[in-house]
């Protein structure tokens, strides 16, 4: 199996570790985390350094790539940009749990994580560096742009569009033909019956826009 590294070492990394182990496609050689000391462990995998150490780790371990295990969409993007500045040719893998149900003509971009129990129906396009969390359901002809995410038990109808960096929270439901703008957040348990503009926070049954947000505002 090819050697890979996981960037991140907290809760998201634990899930990604489990997925990669179950896929049996890659050998995890360790973790990168600038906020922890070298040698600290997560699920028996040691922190080997930070993003700046990628070039020497590629040479030392014959690394074939890795994946960013960071839950927040914007934080994941900032890690990606940092790595791009350090080592632009870094190869990103996908992590798809074996229990996921992937339909016909589904496209999944690099760096994306598909967690246990996820369903993605036919003709759906999932962008790069997305997160589809446990037991979420994505119906036919959906499109998720890069760095977007859906939390556990989130559900979309057919022909839904989720723009870049937006997050659909726990148990939220989006009916068919809805567009979620970029950098927007759908609150937990919401029912979305109409389009949500860019840079908005919306929640409730039915979901209503509550406030605006800025790039990088925390939501986790």
């Amino acid at each position: 199996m090819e050697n890979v590294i996981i960037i991140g070492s907290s809760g998201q990394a634990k899930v990604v570790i489990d997925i990669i182990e179950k896929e049996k496609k890659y050998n995890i050689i360790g973790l990168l985390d600038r906020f922890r000391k070298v040698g600290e462990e997560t699920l028996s995998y040691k922190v080997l350094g930070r993003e700046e150490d990628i070039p020497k780790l590629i040479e030392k371990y014959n690394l074939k790539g890795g994946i960013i295990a960071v839950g927040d969409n914007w934080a994941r993007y900032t890690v990606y940009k940092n790595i791009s500045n350090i080592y632009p040719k870094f190869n990103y893998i996908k992590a798809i749990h074996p229990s996921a149900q992937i339909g016909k003509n589904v496209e999944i971009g690099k760096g994306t994580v598909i967690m246990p129990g996820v369903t993605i129906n036919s003709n759906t396009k999932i962008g790069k560096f997305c997160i589809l969390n446990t037991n979420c359901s994505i119906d036919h002809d959906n499109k998720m742009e890069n760095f977007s995410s859906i939390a556990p038990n989130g559900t979309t109808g057919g022909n839904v569009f989720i723009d870049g960096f937006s997050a659909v929270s726990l148990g939220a439901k989006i009916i068919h033909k809805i567009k979620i703008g970029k950098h927007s957040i759908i609150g937990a348990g919401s029912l979305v019956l109409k389009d949500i503009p860019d840079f908005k926070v919306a929640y409730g049954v039915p979901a209503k826009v509550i406030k605006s947000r800025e790039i990088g505002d925390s939501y986790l």
Side-chain angles (χ1 to χ4, degrees):
M1 295 188 289
E2 294 181 333
N3 290 340
V4 297
I5 199 161
I6 294 175
I7 301 98
S9 67
S10 58
Q12 181 81 4
K14 293 175 183 176
V15 180
V16 172
I17 287 169
D18 180 65
I19 293 171
I20 292 175
E21 288 181 342
K22 285 185 168 64
E23 282 189 288
K24 298 180 180 179
K25 291 182 179 180
Y26 303 103
N27 176 50
I28 302 168
I29 62 98
L31 315 171
L32 296 181
D33 194 325
R34 63 175 51 255
F35 302 106
R36 296 181 69 189
K37 295 179 180 178
V38 171
E40 292 185 20
E41 294 187 2
T42 296
L43 297 183
S44 300
Y45 292 98
K46 291 184 178 181
V47 174
L48 301 178
R50 51 203 300 179
E51 294 99 295
E52 289 79 0
D53 298 312
I54 284 176
K56 68 180 183 182
L57 292 172
I58 288 174
E59 184 175 349
K60 181 176 180 179
Y61 293 102
N62 191 27
L63 280 182
K64 297 302 182 182
I67 192 164
I68 302 171
V70 175
D72 181 279
N73 293 337
W74 184 254
R76 190 163 62 258
Y77 173 75
T78 59
V79 172
Y80 163 74
K81 289 298 291 182
N82 189 36
I83 293 172
S84 296
N85 290 331
I86 295 163
Y87 194 83
K89 297 185 292 183
F90 189 73
N91 178 51
Y92 292 96
I93 66 169
K94 308 169 191 177
I96 302 174
H97 195 278
S99 67
Q101 301 297 309
I102 311 295
K104 188 174 182 179
N105 293 335
V106 168
E107 298 179 28
I108 300 173
K110 67 179 182 180
T112 287
V113 177
I114 310 294
M115 295 190 182
V118 169
T119 298
I120 308 173
N121 279 332
S122 299
N123 252 44
T124 286
K125 183 177 180 180
I126 309 298
K128 302 172 185 177
F129 304 98
C130 295
I131 296 174
L132 277 70
N133 224 309
T134 310
N135 291 328
C136 72
S137 177
I138 313 300
D139 212 344
H140 65 87
D141 297 292
N142 275 220
K143 186 175 183 181
M144 288 180 64
E145 291 287 10
N146 301 341
F147 295 96
S148 59
S149 62
I150 299 186
N153 293 308
T155 303
T156 70
N159 294 283
V160 169
F161 177 80
I162 300 173
D163 212 341
F165 298 93
S166 288
V168 178
S169 300
L170 285 157
K173 295 176 173 57
I174 303 173
I175 68 165
H176 63 286
K177 296 184 179 180
I178 292 294
K179 178 181 178 180
I180 308 298
K182 61 186 176 183
H183 292 277
S184 287
I185 307 297
I186 307 301
S190 297
L191 175 61
V192 183
L193 302 178
K194 61 181 181 180
D195 293 351
I196 304 297
D198 300 343
F199 295 97
K200 301 298 181 184
V201 176
Y203 58 85
V205 180
K208 297 180 180 179
V209 173
I210 304 302
K211 62 179 181 179
S212 297
R213 65 187 302 269
E214 301 292 332
I215 289 176
D217 284 353
S218 178
Y219 63 92
L220 292 177

